[in-house]
Every structure is written in structure tokens, then in C-alpha cells.
Amino acid sequence: MTTPTSRTRLSPQARRAQLLELGARLFATRSVEEISIDVLAEEAGVSRGLLYHYFGSKQDFRLAVIRHAVEHLVEQTAPPAEGEPLERLLTSLGVYVDYVLDNLTLYRSLVRAAAGGTDELRALHDEGRFALTDRIFREDAQGEILTDTPQARLVVRGWSAMAEEMVLTWADDPSVMTRDELLSVLALSLPALVDLT
Amino acid sequence: MTTPTSRTRLSPQARRAQLLELGARLFATRSVEEISIDVLAEEAGVSRGLLYHYFGSKQDFRLAVIRHAVEHLVEQTAPPAEGEPLERLLTSLGVYVDYVLDNLTLYRSLVRAAAGGTDELRALHDEGRFALTDRIFREDAQGEILTDTPQARLVVRGWSAMAEEMVLTWADDPSVMTRDELLSVLALSLPALVDLT
């Protein structure tokens, strides 16, 4: 597939971002092992040399693609600045659920690659989870949902793994509960779990 | 390392089990990619031919080792037959936490291998989780902790991922809460979560 990207003049930064987007799309249909600079060069219609210039190596390319996807997810799911903490959490979770539904194969592939991959990939997964959950503490500074203690941090980490698992399982069979019911369980479970510590 | 296993006469079944135990020990110190029939042959002091006879291929060997470890965990964590549902859940979770602490590298390696591995490995991880959680429904037939609905099944699956994540995180820094506090959060969170559906 040759896309117009091979002919358009873009700044190096914009071109790099575009190649990362293309890389993310590759993730949606191929296993991590199959994603290479060669495949991207073919799909994007650009030279391998240019890709090596931007990304250095196959490993660095994969890492850059996943980092880009993680940053995109964290950005997309930023909760609204105003509102009740629980309302803001619900809104943020809603965007997360929709993101997973819209990018199901990609997201599943990223989670798998991160969980089973190299130390660097796992660190990236952890960073992503940390960015998503740390935000909850920062935006709930008044402690309306939870107070920031080591115990609460441990519980929120577990809650985050639960949310990931529940959303991915639910996406396979959304007849189990409505999207609103799922969001409600996820949002309300956070204070309920922290209350147990 | 040559062990006495190479000289002892054992039934084929006992020998196979012994080789699987050795395989599990390899998992504790090596990455999944490094575990091969060659390495096992060297460590166990038996011939490669014998190992191929028992396991067929490298992939089948890995799968057999992980299957064996999963079955062992499910067996070990069987809750006591008598007692209050929540007490039995606490006991079972206690054995699980101790198992993870005693086999931390192995367990982490298995979870990673399963999450990032082939479809067969992931299926095995799912089977293990299913065996651990399905038990809760079977042994709580009176519905004292939860009733068996598709919604509760989804929540229990999420809870199971949360427990795995919390125990593995806690094992890295047990100063965050005591073992009893961890067990209490895990056990009490199950009915609390199901109540939200």
C-alpha cells in the first residue's frame, strides 16, 4: 500500500508522528514479532533508510510505537477539569472504555506485548498505568474519593488491573451488562476498595 | 549439574512429573525463551532423546511445564471443605499469597509468559484463573458471598486480575501492609465488588 505520506512534505517531527501512527495500525492486525521496519516501509511506502534514520533499530521502533500509543491513551482519557470527583472519574473511564472498544485489537496487542515483553516494554506499561492512576490522586487532592497513602496506592494499582481485565472481557461480550453499568461498577469500586484498607 | 535422577529407576509417569518439576525450576531463573529441551537435558542429566520422547517438542515441553505449575497451584490453594464461606476464601487466599511468595520468580515468569505468549499459553492462564474463580461459585452454592450471574462472573474475573496484581506488587514491598491486611482486603473486596452490580 503506497499512501500519499510518501510524497507529502512534512516537518521531521510530523513525519515521525505519522510513522508512529502507521506503526500503531500495524499492531492492530499483526503480532508484535511481525512488526518490523521492513513491514512499515512497505506499508508506508517510504524507504527503510528513512525509517532507520528516525527509529534506529527494530526494537527502538516497537518501543516508540507503544510509547506513542500509551501517551495517546493517557492524553485522550484526561478527565474534565471541573466537576465532582466521581463524575470526573466516570467521564474519564467512559473515554477509556470507548478507546478500548475503538482500538480493541491494538489495545489487546499492546497489553500482551507489554506483559510478556522485555523489561523496557513492561516499564512502559507500568508508566502508562501510573500516569492513569496517579492522576486520580492528583485530581482528588481533597480526598473525596481516596486519600494518598501507600495502602491506597497498592489498591489503586490492583483496581487498575481489574479495570483493564473487565473492560477487555466485557468488550468480547457486551451483552453481560450495559456500558453505563460497567462504568458504574468501575467508578464505584474505587472508593469501595480503598475503604477496605 | 548432574542429579541422581539420571540413575534412579522410576515409572514413566513419575519420571515425567520429575522432569516437569525440573522444568518449573528452570522457569524460576531463566526467561521463557531460554528454556529448551537442551537446557533441561543438561540440568537433569538425561538424554535429549528421552526428553523428546516424553515431550515431543520444545513448545510442547514449555506448555507441559506451565500446565503442571498451574495444576499444582490450583491443587495447593483448594479451600478447606468446612467452614464459613468467607473463612474458607481467606484460607485459600492465604495459601495463594504464600505460594506466590515462595515461588515469586517462577510465578512472575509464568504470568508474563502466559500474558505475552502464544494463544495456547494464554488459554492455559485463563483456564488456571477459571479453575481458581469457578471454585468460588461452586463452594458458595448458597450464595453467601455471591450469586452466580454473568455480571458476577465478569466482576470475579476482574477481581482475580486485581488479586494477582496486588499480591505481586505487595511481594516487592511487603511493608505497605501486613499479610493479614492484604488477605482481608482481597477477601472482603469480592462481596463488595459483586454488590456493586
Side-chain angles (χ1 to χ4, degrees):
Chain A
M1 176 182 81
T2 305
T3 69
T5 61
S6 54
R7 319 204 184 273
T8 321
R9 280 203 184 276
L10 292 169
S11 71
Q13 213 177 359
R15 168 58 56 102
R16 190 172 184 277
Q18 194 182 42
L19 293 170
L20 288 173
E21 292 288 344
L22 278 165
R25 279 192 236 155
L26 295 187
F27 262 96
T29 50
R30 285 157 215 264
S31 74
V32 188
E33 292 72 30
E34 289 171 328
I35 296 174
S36 67
I37 286 187
D38 286 348
V39 171
L40 183 68
E42 202 180 304
E43 302 260 326
V46 294
S47 75
R48 293 173 70 245
L50 190 68
L51 287 166
Y52 277 104
H53 168 73
Y54 277 110
F55 299 107
S57 74
K58 203 161 99 169
Q59 281 73 25
D60 289 344
F61 167 59
R62 276 185 202 153
L63 210 58
V65 168
I66 298 186
R67 187 183 301 278
H68 185 71
V70 169
E71 285 168 358
H72 181 68
L73 172 63
V74 172
E75 216 178 272
Q76 288 289 303
T77 55
E82 300 294 319
E84 293 298 311
L86 207 60
E87 276 304 314
R88 289 193 285 160
L89 182 59
L90 268 172
T91 307
S92 178
L93 282 168
V95 180
Y96 169 67
V97 168
D98 294 341
Y99 176 90
V100 174
L101 287 181
D102 288 347
N103 303 276
L104 191 54
T105 323
L106 167 67
Y107 187 75
R108 211 185 285 280
S109 172
L110 291 181
V111 167
R112 281 179 191 164
T118 61
D119 287 347
E120 271 176 318
L121 279 177
R122 270 198 299 276
L124 209 49
H125 186 224
D126 280 357
E127 274 170 41
R129 273 211 184 146
F130 180 78
L132 290 172
T133 55
D134 184 57
R135 194 157 68 184
I136 296 170
F137 289 101
R138 275 186 288 110
E139 285 168 4
D140 184 39
Q142 264 64 51
E144 292 184 50
I145 301 179
L146 41 85
T147 47
D148 195 350
T149 64
Q151 291 81 11
R153 292 253 167 200
L154 178 61
V155 169
V156 168
R157 200 180 158 118
W159 172 81
S160 166
M162 179 183 80
E164 193 176 276
E165 180 72 22
M166 278 184 68
V167 172
L168 279 171
T169 305
W170 175 80
D172 277 338
D173 180 11
S175 74
V176 171
M177 52 175 75
T178 66
R179 178 179 172 279
D180 280 355
E181 283 165 348
L182 177 70
L183 290 178
S184 164
V185 172
L186 293 177
L188 294 175
S189 61
L190 187 58
L193 289 168
V194 175
D195 273 354
L196 296 173
T197 60
Chain B
M1 177 183 82
T2 304
T3 69
T5 60
S6 54
R7 320 207 183 270
T8 321
R9 281 204 184 278
L10 290 169
S11 71
Q13 214 178 359
R15 168 57 57 101
R16 191 173 185 279
Q18 195 182 42
L19 293 170
L20 289 173
E21 292 288 343
L22 277 165
R25 279 193 236 154
L26 296 187
F27 263 97
T29 50
R30 285 158 214 265
S31 74
V32 189
E33 292 73 31
E34 288 170 329
I35 296 174
S36 68
I37 287 187
D38 286 349
V39 171
L40 183 69
E42 201 180 306
E43 301 260 328
V46 294
S47 76
R48 294 175 68 246
L50 190 68
L51 286 166
Y52 276 105
H53 168 74
Y54 277 110
F55 299 107
S57 73
K58 202 161 101 170
Q59 281 72 25
D60 289 344
F61 169 59
R62 276 184 204 154
L63 210 57
V65 169
I66 298 186
R67 188 183 299 279
H68 185 72
V70 169
E71 284 167 358
H72 181 69
L73 172 62
V74 171
E75 215 177 272
Q76 288 290 303
T77 55
E82 301 293 319
E84 292 298 309
L86 207 61
E87 277 305 314
R88 291 194 283 159
L89 182 60
L90 268 172
T91 307
S92 177
L93 282 169
V95 180
Y96 169 68
V97 168
D98 293 342
Y99 176 91
V100 174
L101 287 181
D102 288 346
N103 304 276
L104 191 55
T105 323
L106 168 66
Y107 188 74
R108 211 185 285 280
S109 173
L110 290 181
V111 167
R112 280 179 192 164
T118 61
D119 288 346
E120 272 175 319
L121 279 176
R122 270 196 299 275
L124 209 50
H125 186 224
D126 280 356
E127 274 169 41
R129 273 211 183 146
F130 180 78
L132 290 171
T133 55
D134 185 56
R135 195 157 69 185
I136 296 169
F137 288 101
R138 275 186 287 110
E139 286 167 5
D140 184 40
Q142 265 64 51
E144 292 183 50
I145 300 178
L146 42 84
T147 48
D148 193 349
T149 64
Q151 291 80 10
R153 293 253 165 200
L154 177 62
V155 169
V156 168
R157 198 179 159 120
W159 173 81
S160 168
M162 180 183 78
E164 192 176 277
E165 179 74 21
M166 279 184 67
V167 172
L168 280 171
T169 305
W170 175 79
D172 278 338
D173 181 11
S175 76
V176 171
M177 51 175 79
T178 66
R179 179 178 170 281
D180 281 354
E181 283 166 348
L182 177 70
L183 290 178
S184 165
V185 171
L186 292 178
L188 295 175
S189 62
L190 187 58
L193 288 168
V194 175
D195 273 354
L196 295 174
T197 59

PDB file of all heavy atoms in Angstrom, chain B residues 80-97:
ATOM      1  N   PRO B  80     -10.473 -25.232  52.392  1.00  0.00           N
ATOM      2  CA  PRO B  80     -10.943 -26.312  53.251  1.00  0.00           C
ATOM      3  C   PRO B  80     -12.411 -26.619  52.958  1.00  0.00           C
ATOM      4  O   PRO B  80     -13.166 -25.729  52.551  1.00  0.00           O
ATOM      5  CB  PRO B  80     -10.775 -25.738  54.654  1.00  0.00           C
ATOM      6  CG  PRO B  80     -10.659 -24.265  54.489  1.00  0.00           C
ATOM      7  CD  PRO B  80     -10.068 -24.044  53.146  1.00  0.00           C
ATOM      8  N   ALA B  81     -12.812 -27.888  53.166  1.00  0.00           N
ATOM      9  CA  ALA B  81     -14.182 -28.306  52.826  1.00  0.00           C
ATOM     10  C   ALA B  81     -15.214 -27.697  53.765  1.00  0.00           C
ATOM     11  O   ALA B  81     -16.364 -27.478  53.395  1.00  0.00           O
ATOM     12  CB  ALA B  81     -14.276 -29.824  52.843  1.00  0.00           C
ATOM     13  N   GLU B  82     -14.803 -27.426  54.990  1.00  0.00           N
ATOM     14  CA  GLU B  82     -15.752 -26.943  56.009  1.00  0.00           C
ATOM     15  C   GLU B  82     -15.479 -25.498  56.389  1.00  0.00           C
ATOM     16  O   GLU B  82     -14.382 -24.997  56.182  1.00  0.00           O
ATOM     17  CB  GLU B  82     -15.627 -27.796  57.284  1.00  0.00           C
ATOM     18  CG  GLU B  82     -15.890 -29.276  57.089  1.00  0.00           C
ATOM     19  CD  GLU B  82     -17.332 -29.581  56.732  1.00  0.00           C
ATOM     20  OE1 GLU B  82     -18.211 -28.942  57.341  1.00  0.00           O
ATOM     21  OE2 GLU B  82     -17.577 -30.414  55.838  1.00  0.00           O
ATOM     22  N   GLY B  83     -16.488 -24.867  56.970  1.00  0.00           N
ATOM     23  CA  GLY B  83     -16.305 -23.513  57.486  1.00  0.00           C
ATOM     24  C   GLY B  83     -17.184 -22.506  56.772  1.00  0.00           C
ATOM     25  O   GLY B  83     -17.837 -22.803  55.783  1.00  0.00           O
ATOM     26  N   GLU B  84     -17.186 -21.281  57.308  1.00  0.00           N
ATOM     27  CA  GLU B  84     -17.929 -20.183  56.692  1.00  0.00           C
ATOM     28  C   GLU B  84     -17.311 -19.854  55.337  1.00  0.00           C
ATOM     29  O   GLU B  84     -16.079 -19.892  55.213  1.00  0.00           O
ATOM     30  CB  GLU B  84     -17.829 -18.935  57.586  1.00  0.00           C
ATOM     31  CG  GLU B  84     -18.536 -19.047  58.914  1.00  0.00           C
ATOM     32  CD  GLU B  84     -20.032 -19.260  58.738  1.00  0.00           C
ATOM     33  OE1 GLU B  84     -20.642 -18.482  57.982  1.00  0.00           O
ATOM     34  OE2 GLU B  84     -20.575 -20.216  59.328  1.00  0.00           O
ATOM     35  N   PRO B  85     -18.111 -19.502  54.327  1.00  0.00           N
ATOM     36  CA  PRO B  85     -17.570 -19.176  53.008  1.00  0.00           C
ATOM     37  C   PRO B  85     -16.426 -18.160  53.052  1.00  0.00           C
ATOM     38  O   PRO B  85     -15.388 -18.354  52.415  1.00  0.00           O
ATOM     39  CB  PRO B  85     -18.775 -18.608  52.259  1.00  0.00           C
ATOM     40  CG  PRO B  85     -19.951 -19.253  52.892  1.00  0.00           C
ATOM     41  CD  PRO B  85     -19.591 -19.456  54.333  1.00  0.00           C
ATOM     42  N   LEU B  86     -16.604 -17.075  53.833  1.00  0.00           N
ATOM     43  CA  LEU B  86     -15.570 -16.041  53.861  1.00  0.00           C
ATOM     44  C   LEU B  86     -14.295 -16.548  54.530  1.00  0.00           C
ATOM     45  O   LEU B  86     -13.185 -16.202  54.112  1.00  0.00           O
ATOM     46  CB  LEU B  86     -16.106 -14.789  54.581  1.00  0.00           C
ATOM     47  CG  LEU B  86     -15.456 -13.469  54.162  1.00  0.00           C
ATOM     48  CD1 LEU B  86     -15.663 -13.177  52.701  1.00  0.00           C
ATOM     49  CD2 LEU B  86     -15.984 -12.312  54.999  1.00  0.00           C
ATOM     50  N   GLU B  87     -14.446 -17.407  55.562  1.00  0.00           N
ATOM     51  CA  GLU B  87     -13.280 -18.004  56.225  1.00  0.00           C
ATOM     52  C   GLU B  87     -12.522 -18.901  55.254  1.00  0.00           C
ATOM     53  O   GLU B  87     -11.296 -18.901  55.203  1.00  0.00           O
ATOM     54  CB  GLU B  87     -13.732 -18.836  57.444  1.00  0.00           C
ATOM     55  CG  GLU B  87     -13.953 -18.030  58.709  1.00  0.00           C
ATOM     56  CD  GLU B  87     -12.715 -17.214  59.095  1.00  0.00           C
ATOM     57  OE1 GLU B  87     -11.596 -17.774  59.070  1.00  0.00           O
ATOM     58  OE2 GLU B  87     -12.859 -16.021  59.410  1.00  0.00           O
ATOM     59  N   ARG B  88     -13.277 -19.696  54.479  1.00  0.00           N
ATOM     60  CA  ARG B  88     -12.645 -20.595  53.517  1.00  0.00           C
ATOM     61  C   ARG B  88     -11.934 -19.814  52.417  1.00  0.00           C
ATOM     62  O   ARG B  88     -10.849 -20.171  51.977  1.00  0.00           O
ATOM     63  CB  ARG B  88     -13.692 -21.541  52.919  1.00  0.00           C
ATOM     64  CG  ARG B  88     -14.204 -22.551  53.950  1.00  0.00           C
ATOM     65  CD  ARG B  88     -14.951 -23.668  53.291  1.00  0.00           C
ATOM     66  NE  ARG B  88     -16.279 -23.243  52.897  1.00  0.00           N
ATOM     67  CZ  ARG B  88     -17.019 -23.853  51.959  1.00  0.00           C
ATOM     68  NH1 ARG B  88     -16.536 -24.898  51.328  1.00  0.00           N
ATOM     69  NH2 ARG B  88     -18.218 -23.416  51.663  1.00  0.00           N
ATOM     70  N   LEU B  89     -12.567 -18.712  51.999  1.00  0.00           N
ATOM     71  CA  LEU B  89     -11.941 -17.859  50.986  1.00  0.00           C
ATOM     72  C   LEU B  89     -10.636 -17.280  51.528  1.00  0.00           C
ATOM     73  O   LEU B  89      -9.606 -17.269  50.839  1.00  0.00           O
ATOM     74  CB  LEU B  89     -12.914 -16.739  50.585  1.00  0.00           C
ATOM     75  CG  LEU B  89     -12.448 -15.763  49.506  1.00  0.00           C
ATOM     76  CD1 LEU B  89     -12.139 -16.477  48.199  1.00  0.00           C
ATOM     77  CD2 LEU B  89     -13.494 -14.676  49.260  1.00  0.00           C
ATOM     78  N   LEU B  90     -10.662 -16.817  52.779  1.00  0.00           N
ATOM     79  CA  LEU B  90      -9.466 -16.265  53.415  1.00  0.00           C
ATOM     80  C   LEU B  90      -8.349 -17.303  53.475  1.00  0.00           C
ATOM     81  O   LEU B  90      -7.189 -17.002  53.189  1.00  0.00           O
ATOM     82  CB  LEU B  90      -9.792 -15.790  54.841  1.00  0.00           C
ATOM     83  CG  LEU B  90     -10.215 -14.338  55.007  1.00  0.00           C
ATOM     84  CD1 LEU B  90     -10.696 -14.094  56.425  1.00  0.00           C
ATOM     85  CD2 LEU B  90      -9.039 -13.397  54.689  1.00  0.00           C
ATOM     86  N   THR B  91      -8.701 -18.538  53.861  1.00  0.00           N
ATOM     87  CA  THR B  91      -7.696 -19.608  53.943  1.00  0.00           C
ATOM     88  C   THR B  91      -7.083 -19.879  52.579  1.00  0.00           C
ATOM     89  O   THR B  91      -5.860 -19.965  52.424  1.00  0.00           O
ATOM     90  CB  THR B  91      -8.350 -20.903  54.491  1.00  0.00           C
ATOM     91  OG1 THR B  91      -9.022 -20.590  55.707  1.00  0.00           O
ATOM     92  CG2 THR B  91      -7.313 -21.978  54.727  1.00  0.00           C
ATOM     93  N   SER B  92      -7.951 -19.996  51.583  1.00  0.00           N
ATOM     94  CA  SER B  92      -7.487 -20.266  50.227  1.00  0.00           C
ATOM     95  C   SER B  92      -6.585 -19.135  49.722  1.00  0.00           C
ATOM     96  O   SER B  92      -5.524 -19.368  49.126  1.00  0.00           O
ATOM     97  CB  SER B  92      -8.712 -20.432  49.320  1.00  0.00           C
ATOM     98  OG  SER B  92      -8.318 -20.631  48.003  1.00  0.00           O
ATOM     99  N   LEU B  93      -6.977 -17.885  49.987  1.00  0.00           N
ATOM    100  CA  LEU B  93      -6.169 -16.735  49.564  1.00  0.00           C
ATOM    101  C   LEU B  93      -4.829 -16.719  50.296  1.00  0.00           C
ATOM    102  O   LEU B  93      -3.803 -16.348  49.714  1.00  0.00           O
ATOM    103  CB  LEU B  93      -6.923 -15.433  49.841  1.00  0.00           C
ATOM    104  CG  LEU B  93      -8.037 -15.068  48.853  1.00  0.00           C
ATOM    105  CD1 LEU B  93      -8.873 -13.914  49.398  1.00  0.00           C
ATOM    106  CD2 LEU B  93      -7.455 -14.695  47.493  1.00  0.00           C
ATOM    107  N   GLY B  94      -4.851 -17.134  51.560  1.00  0.00           N
ATOM    108  CA  GLY B  94      -3.617 -17.196  52.335  1.00  0.00           C
ATOM    109  C   GLY B  94      -2.612 -18.154  51.709  1.00  0.00           C
ATOM    110  O   GLY B  94      -1.423 -17.841  51.593  1.00  0.00           O
ATOM    111  N   VAL B  95      -3.104 -19.320  51.279  1.00  0.00           N
ATOM    112  CA  VAL B  95      -2.221 -20.293  50.627  1.00  0.00           C
ATOM    113  C   VAL B  95      -1.700 -19.727  49.302  1.00  0.00           C
ATOM    114  O   VAL B  95      -0.536 -19.886  48.955  1.00  0.00           O
ATOM    115  CB  VAL B  95      -2.952 -21.641  50.392  1.00  0.00           C
ATOM    116  CG1 VAL B  95      -2.021 -22.639  49.721  1.00  0.00           C
ATOM    117  CG2 VAL B  95      -3.482 -22.201  51.696  1.00  0.00           C
ATOM    118  N   TYR B  96      -2.579 -19.028  48.588  1.00  0.00           N
ATOM    119  CA  TYR B  96      -2.182 -18.415  47.315  1.00  0.00           C
ATOM    120  C   TYR B  96      -1.062 -17.396  47.535  1.00  0.00           C
ATOM    121  O   TYR B  96      -0.036 -17.420  46.849  1.00  0.00           O
ATOM    122  CB  TYR B  96      -3.406 -17.773  46.648  1.00  0.00           C
ATOM    123  CG  TYR B  96      -3.094 -16.890  45.466  1.00  0.00           C
ATOM    124  CD1 TYR B  96      -2.607 -17.435  44.282  1.00  0.00           C
ATOM    125  CD2 TYR B  96      -3.274 -15.506  45.528  1.00  0.00           C
ATOM    126  CE1 TYR B  96      -2.315 -16.630  43.189  1.00  0.00           C
ATOM    127  CE2 TYR B  96      -2.997 -14.696  44.444  1.00  0.00           C
ATOM    128  CZ  TYR B  96      -2.519 -15.249  43.274  1.00  0.00           C
ATOM    129  OH  TYR B  96      -2.228 -14.443  42.207  1.00  0.00           O
ATOM    130  N   VAL B  97      -1.248 -16.513  48.514  1.00  0.00           N
ATOM    131  CA  VAL B  97      -0.233 -15.495  48.798  1.00  0.00           C
ATOM    132  C   VAL B  97       1.093 -16.162  49.181  1.00  0.00           C
ATOM    133  O   VAL B  97       2.162 -15.766  48.702  1.00  0.00           O
ATOM    134  CB  VAL B  97      -0.712 -14.536  49.915  1.00  0.00           C
ATOM    135  CG1 VAL B  97       0.432 -13.662  50.423  1.00  0.00           C
ATOM    136  CG2 VAL B  97      -1.845 -13.655  49.405  1.00  0.00           C
TER     137      VAL B  97
END
